[in-house]
Amino acid sequence: MVRFSARGAEFLRAHLINLILALALASLALTPSLVPRPTVFQGVMAGLWFMIGFQLGFAVRAAARILARRLHGGRSASGAATDPPAGSGPGAQRSRSPLRAAGLAAAIGVGLLVYVLGYGALVVSWQNEVRALVEMEPVDGAGHLAFLISMFTTLLLLFGIARGIRALRQAAGAQVARRGGSLRQARWASQATGLVAVLALVLGVLGGGLGVVAEVYQDRDAATPEGITAPVLPGRSGGPDSALAWDGLGRQGRAFAGGGPSAAQISAVTGTAAQEPVRVYAGLSQGADLQARAELVVAELERHGGFDREVLLLATPTGSGWLEPQAIASLEYLYAGDVASASMQYSTQPSWVSFLFDPELPEDSSRALFEAAHERWRELPEAERPKLVVYGLSLGALGMSGSFEDLDDLLARTDAALFTGPPSNSEPWATLQANRDPGSPVWQPVYREGEQVRWQSKPGDFAALGGVWQQPRLGYLQHATDPITWLDPAVILRSPEWLQGPSAAGGRGPDVSDSMRWIPGVTFAHLVADMLVSEAVPPSHGHNFGDVAVDGWAQVLPGHGRSQAQLDAVQTVVEQIDTQNPSWE
């Protein structure tokens, strides 16, 4: 036992810096963020950050040795070798008793255990606070167990990889030494091998991961969501009277064209007569380029009488082509099916891939669609034109809003616009946020007293502002806990406005934990991680906007004539719509 403890003490002495940095980074990974994280996901993140900190310890130790050599040197001023520091020679090492080593190991071990248990209790309280604010149940015993299993599994996997890289380094150094190389050359060979191995691993994971994502989504695009069949009703792309083949619409195009309420369903909910809504969509394979695809959509609208409807909706999808079904259906219920909705696909990849590798594509696609439809719309007699409205969620909001020069251009060429969960680099969103009225919070701003633009987080926010809301109107659906909206590189080095004080004082949204603090670099990393689980929260929080679509459209595009009882009935139905798991779209 004493011998084991002595070995433990030696390990702790040799790796104390590693352990301190590992615990520090793992602790930062567990600090509160905007949305609660599934326990398995949180465990993976804690294990990953712990391993990064542990490996960072080796770099810190190496840097310390180099600095010490430069400060003290290996020789005296006369050039003679200096004596080693007192207590650092072999004799000093032998003089340390096993009992003393065991005591040191026990003391450090107890200290680490106390820290882990104490900090773990704090983390649980943080997570449950965040969960309560977004109306989720607290973490239970099973959740704690899932966290521990995922964290230790991640650690074992990463430590195994680290040991493999270490073995490669040792083999490279030994090979150089066997061939007569100097100790310095062997050390450089070892370090170079380790660096190459790490780079190869990172690039392999990234490249291989992107390759897998591309293949998975390519195959996914060829499939059809469960419960979706080719339209038998008129006015749908891929249907019997359509020039666009069902197989070419893509997965999300088929979900859009084959989904949504029928006239009978709309009548059953609202108690009034309704028309069959028109839904037009062109898949990525339909049309040689964006312009050709946009022209196909306009021709399809003509074919189905889309320009004869009361409302013409032009919508930009997310990266994979997904359109939020609740937003589209809400407008169709409000206007008794007298709506034509049109969109087109620009990618098969999820939004984050499109955003990273071709950020201008959503805007180019949106602009092509809007310009083609707007040109045909302008040719109609003014009294016969449908209300022209535009919509986009997330990357779709970035794309469609970017089709216009500024707010004036958008309002001059549309009858209404509704953008949901816009990314931080969206325009005119960023400009409007920056120039909001003094005293209004960034998470729910007021611009020029709400005369043209308003923001809404929960139903009723648009109307609660009061005053005159002129038409045409622009509305933003925005949550204080949506990481997609607040992910901004500036957060790396500067505390954001949405974390400027407690929620009671308006310094942050009411569902943002007061325990969340800005930490340089860490808060940005939290936002990146939060994006991956931003849909895994109830409506009114994160990136889930299913409960505000009805009221959003009802306020942005008035004239539907629905009573409050009808709006309530529509709200109930819309909240039950299956969104087809959009988290990775």
Side-chain angles (χ1 to χ4, degrees):
M1 175 64 92
V2 172
R3 191 174 180 181
F4 176 80
S5 299
R7 288 180 178 176
E10 180 61 26
F11 176 83
L12 289 174
R13 185 195 66 78
H15 298 88
L16 188 57
I17 292 177
N18 302 70
L19 289 172
I20 290 174
L21 289 174
L23 283 175
L25 263 66
S27 298
L28 291 173
L30 297 173
T31 54
S33 56
L34 286 179
V35 294
R37 298 168 181 174
T39 51
V40 171
F41 180 77
Q42 185 75 316
V44 171
M45 296 303 297
L48 176 62
W49 282 53
F50 184 96
M51 190 59 184
I52 292 174
F54 193 89
Q55 296 302 314
L56 184 61
F58 290 112
V60 171
R61 289 164 54 190
R65 286 195 298 269
I66 293 173
L67 181 61
R69 283 198 298 268
R70 290 185 177 180
L71 289 176
H72 302 294
R75 295 181 177 274
S76 65
S78 62
T82 59
D83 293 330
S88 63
Q93 293 292 337
R94 287 193 297 270
S95 69
R96 292 173 183 165
S97 68
L99 186 59
R100 183 181 177 187
L104 178 62
I108 295 177
V110 169
L112 292 176
L113 180 61
V114 169
Y115 174 80
V116 169
L117 292 177
Y119 193 78
L122 183 60
V123 168
V124 171
S125 69
W126 281 338
Q127 279 297 303
N128 284 338
E129 178 191 8
V130 175
R131 294 175 73 88
L133 288 170
V134 299
E135 304 170 83
M136 294 178 67
E137 294 294 323
V139 178
D140 55 14
H144 299 152
L145 181 60
F147 167 79
L148 292 173
I149 292 175
S150 63
M151 182 182 70
F152 283 112
T153 300
T154 302
L155 283 175
L156 287 173
L157 174 63
L158 294 177
F159 269 111
I161 294 173
R163 287 180 66 87
I165 294 175
R166 180 183 178 185
L168 285 175
R169 291 182 56 193
Q170 291 175 340
Q175 182 68 17
V176 171
R178 280 196 297 270
R179 295 186 177 183
S182 66
L183 180 61
R184 184 185 183 90
Q185 290 173 328
R187 185 181 295 118
W188 276 108
S190 174
Q191 293 173 347
T193 300
L195 179 60
V196 170
V198 170
L199 289 175
L201 179 64
V202 171
L203 294 176
V205 169
L206 290 178
L210 289 173
V212 170
V213 169
E215 185 175 349
V216 166
Y217 273 83
Q218 192 71 36
D219 293 341
R220 181 179 173 84
D221 192 59
T224 301
E226 184 178 353
I228 297 296
T229 58
V232 294
L233 298 173
R236 303 291 184 107
S237 291
D241 56 345
S242 171
L244 297 175
W246 173 254
D247 290 342
L249 297 182
R251 175 186 175 87
Q252 303 301 347
R254 288 189 288 275
F256 170 71
S262 65
Q265 290 170 322
I266 295 173
S267 294
V269 173
T270 62
T272 59
Q275 301 183 52
E276 297 293 349
V278 172
R279 290 193 172 198
V280 170
Y281 193 99
L284 191 61
S285 64
Q286 295 170 323
D289 53 27
L290 295 175
Q291 187 59 43
R293 202 171 305 131
E295 291 173 359
L296 287 175
V297 171
V298 172
E300 188 84 339
L301 282 171
E302 291 270 22
R303 185 176 297 107
H304 298 306
F307 290 100
D308 298 327
R309 295 304 178 104
E310 184 175 0
V311 178
L312 172 59
L313 169 64
L314 303 179
T316 300
T318 62
S320 66
W322 180 76
L323 288 162
E324 185 184 39
Q326 292 161 314
I328 308 300
S330 294
L331 192 58
E332 293 169 339
Y333 276 110
L334 288 175
Y335 278 84
D338 199 5
V339 177
S341 304
S343 186
M344 68 186 203
Q345 189 179 19
Y346 54 84
S347 170
T348 62
Q349 303 302 305
S351 291
W352 63 271
V353 175
S354 298
F355 181 77
L356 284 176
F357 296 98
D358 201 346
E360 296 181 358
L361 184 57
E363 291 186 14
D364 293 341
S365 178
S366 301
R367 188 175 294 107
L369 175 61
F370 181 82
E371 294 297 343
H374 185 259
E375 181 179 357
R376 178 66 188 92
W377 177 83
R378 288 188 59 191
E379 294 173 356
L380 300 172
E382 188 170 350
E384 298 178 12
R385 294 172 184 169
K387 297 175 181 177
L388 182 60
V389 301
V390 293
Y391 165 80
L393 169 122
S394 195
L395 194 61
L398 172 69
M400 182 57 78
S401 61
S403 303
F404 304 93
E405 293 295 327
D406 51 27
L407 175 63
D408 291 338
D409 183 40
L410 189 154
L411 296 178
R413 299 206 287 165
T414 66
D415 292 293
L418 186 65
F419 297 130
T420 303
S424 62
N425 60 335
S426 301
E427 287 292 354
W429 179 87
T431 298
L432 297 173
Q433 292 268 146
N435 293 282
R436 65 187 185 277
D437 294 352
S440 64
V442 69
W443 44 270
Q444 194 167 23
V446 176
Y447 179 77
R448 295 182 179 177
E449 300 182 344
E451 292 183 352
Q452 297 173 307
V453 187
R454 297 192 179 188
W455 283 257
Q456 174 162 285
S457 178
K458 60 183 183 298
D461 284 348
F462 280 154
L465 186 58
V468 177
W469 193 1
Q470 301 173 356
Q471 296 187 57
R473 299 174 174 179
L474 166 59
Y476 284 107
L477 303 183
Q478 175 174 302
H479 291 155
T481 51
D482 186 357
I484 292 176
T485 292
W486 307 119
L487 183 68
D488 183 347
V491 176
I492 297 174
L493 299 175
R494 185 175 68 242
S495 178
E497 290 185 274
W498 45 269
L499 278 181
Q500 291 302 303
S503 59
R508 62 189 65 195
D511 52 351
V512 177
S513 170
D514 285 339
S515 299
M516 184 178 180
R517 296 289 186 270
W518 174 74
I519 306 172
V522 175
T523 300
F524 181 81
H526 278 336
L527 292 176
V528 173
D530 283 350
M531 284 201 310
L532 302 177
V533 293
S534 59
E535 290 274 358
V537 292
S540 291
H541 309 285
H543 202 56
N544 189 338
F545 295 89
D547 66 330
V548 287
V550 174
D551 189 62
W553 281 121
Q555 297 295 324
V556 168
L557 194 63
H560 46 77
R562 296 298 182 196
S563 67
Q564 188 58 52
Q566 289 174 318
L567 291 174
D568 292 342
V570 172
Q571 178 75 19
T572 299
V573 172
V574 167
E575 288 182 357
Q576 298 173 359
I577 293 176
D578 183 4
T579 60
Q580 298 289 340
N581 188 24
S583 301
W584 300 92
E585 302 298 343

